[in-house]
Amino acid sequence: MPNTQDKLRLLPAIERLLQTADQQPEFQTMDRKLLTQVLRRTVQKVREQIQQGSDIDFSPAAIIENAKQEYNNMLMPRLRRVVNATGVILHTNLGRAPLSKRAQRHVTDVMAGYSTLEYNLESGERGSRYQHVVDLLCQLTGAEDILVVNNNAAAVVLAVSAIAHGREVIVSRGELVEIGGSFRIPDVIRQSGAKLVEVGTTNKTHLSDYRRAITAETAALLKVHTSNYRIVGFCSQPEPEELVALGKESGLPVIEDLGSGTLLPVTMADWHEPSVAERIAAGFSVVTFSGDKLFGAGQAGIIAGRKTYIDKMKYHPLLRAFRIDKLSLASLEGTLMDYAYGKPEQDIPVHYMLNAAEEDLKTLAERLAGRIQRQAGGCGVAVVQTQAPAGGGSLPAVELAGYGVSVAFSTLSATMAEKRLRQQAVPIICRVQDGRILFDVRCLHDTDIEEIANACAQLERRQQ
Ligand SMILES: *Cc1c(COP(=O)(O)O)cnc(C)c1O
């Protein structure tokens, strides 16, 4: 047995590895510089393993095999398409809303070349990127004016900064929300240069609590959608209309961070998700919401409301820092065209999936189960009823009833199978439930069915 020093000395030189690699046809198409880099890195890894006393195979053939894998991994993008078999429509980790066909086409069209991003075709002069979606959004929400930014977090910061910097904002204690990614209302208000004035209690806030807190320093009343929790039992908040009336009476703007902000009415189980139009009609001065939640487009923050307030934001220095990019803007405009001129319930994937009929989901689950059974005979397959949240700061505490396929591989454990499914060329993201794999079918495309069945077949075959 050679000792560690001997082994290190015996490690093949890069030149020698390159020569060996050259004899294999698959290496011939590889970029020479990249290949050298990968071989160096692979040898370095082997060296470290030897130094740690590992009994690793350091023959040229083994090193080249590792390098091949490393090379292929390197060429694989890190941002990749996945199959969403979790049943969660607005899965924040999986990119929230998938785009409609029209939005996809519009994004492709805009990104492939030059565009009218900031160009006015009529005057032949500089135009505004913010203007493209204003007409449709005003029409669809009833708002007087619109401004779009990067995301809803930026929308809230911009609205509060423009309206309440150096002054006070009143918020109910029941609505001091934290959503994922460290967006917390108290911090956001502080960052916007305003002072938070909390009123009421966790479970109950009365209109009189707001009224008593109003002083000469008050700049706005802020309502926040409790998008990821619900307070139930002995609880109440003033009606939105009451809050608006108090604002009018006191000459104060009433802002709402609506979170998801749907343009279509959405009522599921015992929950009604307030639409943007509803809130504008109720008289809110400013409403902010996300572009990639129930709205169904790409990442964006939309600010809808009274012109006097929107104007303040248009000339605010933060706007430039928060500005939306052209691809998001194109996704927004394409989606808006679906709302205005298409059949949004069918054309916009988020709404299509949200409204999927249970029988249709069951049929889809049966199709998936059939294919898995045919291709991956040996594993246990069953069509089951499922429950999943809508996700993405919408429909808090609502579980959507759907269907899925539960799979038990003959020897592979569910946790191992879940891991392997994640490592597919197109990763399949699913849940583990009661020691079995669960593929919820709500968010699946037709082609995903095939992809899942193929992956199951591969897993079942490989373990035998
Ligand atoms: C999701 C959400 C936000 C943040 O929106 P992004 O578009 O993710 O920045 C802010 N407030 C509420 C209430 C939300 O639900």
Side-chain angles (χ1 to χ4, degrees):
M1 273 289 279
N3 63 25
T4 304
Q5 287 312 316
D6 293 338
K7 283 187 189 172
L8 289 176
R9 219 172 323 110
L10 288 169
L11 269 176
I14 302 296
E15 269 315 309
R16 158 114 189 274
L17 289 170
L18 276 170
Q19 277 164 17
T20 316
D22 278 343
Q23 285 151 20
Q24 298 188 21
E26 58 220 284
F27 279 97
Q28 256 134 52
T29 52
M30 293 186 186
D31 180 82
R32 193 86 189 163
K33 248 170 51 203
L34 217 56
L35 180 59
T36 314
Q37 219 181 63
V38 170
L39 283 171
R40 282 222 176 86
R41 203 179 310 159
T42 311
V43 170
Q44 181 53 28
K45 275 189 192 162
V46 172
R47 181 174 292 126
E48 281 162 18
Q49 295 234 7
I50 293 176
Q51 281 165 340
Q52 282 161 19
S54 153
D55 194 22
I56 191 172
D57 181 357
F58 58 89
S59 65
I63 290 178
I64 281 177
E65 199 47 46
N66 284 342
K68 209 187 293 175
Q69 263 178 27
E70 180 115 355
Y71 186 92
N72 289 336
N73 281 344
M74 214 160 73
L75 294 189
M76 181 98 81
R78 297 297 185 267
L79 179 59
R80 284 154 69 191
R81 176 172 83 83
V82 301
V83 170
N84 176 6
T86 66
V88 180
I89 300 171
L90 294 167
H91 200 303
T92 296
N93 303 147
L94 304 184
R96 289 193 184 157
L99 295 188
S100 74
K101 289 277 185 306
R102 197 195 300 247
Q104 291 174 37
R105 281 197 304 271
H106 196 33
V107 172
T108 310
D109 216 33
V110 166
M111 74 183 175
Y114 300 99
S115 66
T116 57
L117 183 63
E118 290 193 347
Y119 188 78
N120 184 327
L121 287 176
E122 260 151 57
S123 65
E125 286 165 11
R126 182 173 183 169
S128 158
R129 74 173 62 215
Y130 301 104
Q131 217 45 45
H132 302 291
V133 290
V134 169
D135 289 344
L136 279 181
L137 269 167
C138 283
Q139 180 192 317
L140 290 162
T141 62
E144 227 175 66
D145 203 0
I146 295 285
L147 189 60
V148 288
V149 291
N150 212 349
N151 57 19
N152 186 34
V156 177
V157 171
L158 182 60
V160 175
S161 301
I163 293 173
H165 189 92
R167 297 176 65 203
E168 294 176 357
V169 176
I170 304 176
V171 188
S172 160
R173 288 200 169 89
E175 297 178 351
L176 292 175
V177 173
E178 167 172 331
I179 61 155
S182 69
F183 178 95
R184 309 173 103 190
I185 288 294
D187 300 340
V188 167
I189 291 177
R190 197 175 317 117
Q191 278 299 323
S192 309
K195 182 162 175 262
L196 168 66
V197 175
E198 303 174 17
V199 294
T201 61
T202 305
N203 57 325
K204 279 209 176 223
T205 302
H206 305 283
L207 194 66
S208 54
D209 293 323
Y210 285 92
R211 182 176 279 125
R212 263 201 306 275
I214 296 175
T215 68
E217 283 309 301
T218 309
L221 310 180
L222 174 65
K223 182 169 177 57
V224 185
H225 186 272
T226 58
S227 23
N228 48 10
Y229 66 98
R230 260 207 248 181
I231 297 173
V232 292
F234 187 64
C235 59
S236 69
Q237 295 286 333
E239 290 300 321
E241 290 76 8
E242 294 178 301
L243 211 56
V244 167
L246 178 61
K248 281 224 172 75
E249 182 191 314
S250 335
L252 292 171
V254 187
I255 307 170
E256 178 164 33
D257 171 6
L258 200 48
S260 209
T262 177
L263 295 194
L264 294 178
V266 173
T267 302
M268 295 276 153
D270 59 341
W271 181 263
H272 171 72
E273 188 74 27
S275 75
V276 181
E278 242 169 75
R279 292 306 214 231
I280 294 292
F284 278 85
S285 324
V286 170
V287 174
T288 77
F289 55 100
S290 288
D292 54 357
K293 293 184 180 172
L294 284 176
F295 187 94
Q299 183 184 303
I302 302 163
I303 310 169
R306 305 303 302 260
K307 191 169 179 340
T308 49
Y309 300 113
I310 302 283
D311 272 345
K312 284 184 186 215
M313 300 177 214
K314 280 186 186 162
Y315 303 109
H316 196 282
L318 275 179
L319 180 61
R320 174 58 198 258
F322 292 162
R323 84 177 183 184
I324 187 167
D325 101 298
K326 61 183 176 182
L327 302 188
S328 303
L329 200 55
S331 82
L332 208 58
E333 190 176 32
T335 309
L336 277 170
M337 291 174 88
D338 283 324
Y339 280 110
Y341 315 121
K343 295 193 189 74
E345 303 83 357
Q346 289 168 34
D347 299 342
I348 299 173
V350 167
H351 289 286
Y352 178 80
M353 293 187 279
L354 203 53
N355 294 309
E358 277 192 51
E359 315 91 80
D360 293 342
L361 293 174
K362 190 174 180 197
T363 310
L364 191 59
E366 284 164 352
R367 246 182 64 207
L368 176 61
R371 280 205 69 148
I372 297 177
Q373 220 140 30
R374 270 200 306 282
Q375 288 182 234
C379 52
V381 181
V383 170
V384 293
Q385 286 185 298
T386 57
Q387 298 244 302
S394 65
L395 307 166
V398 172
E399 293 280 325
L400 302 175
Y403 278 88
V405 178
S406 153
V407 176
F409 292 91
S410 38
T411 58
L412 200 61
S413 75
T415 19
M416 267 315 284
E418 186 270 340
K419 189 173 165 199
R420 296 260 180 91
L421 288 163
R422 259 192 279 133
Q423 291 165 344
Q424 296 288 310
V426 176
I428 296 166
I429 314 300
C430 62
R431 281 188 282 163
V432 170
Q433 197 171 294
D434 305 325
R436 296 166 70 101
I437 289 291
L438 179 62
F439 299 114
D440 192 310
V441 298
R442 186 182 295 274
C443 309
L444 299 184
H445 294 289
D446 272 350
T447 48
D448 294 341
I449 299 283
E450 197 178 317
E451 212 121 31
I452 293 175
N454 288 344
C456 287
Q458 208 188 78
L459 258 57
E460 182 66 19
R461 239 181 289 123
R462 210 188 313 154
Q463 67 189 344
Q464 283 162 0

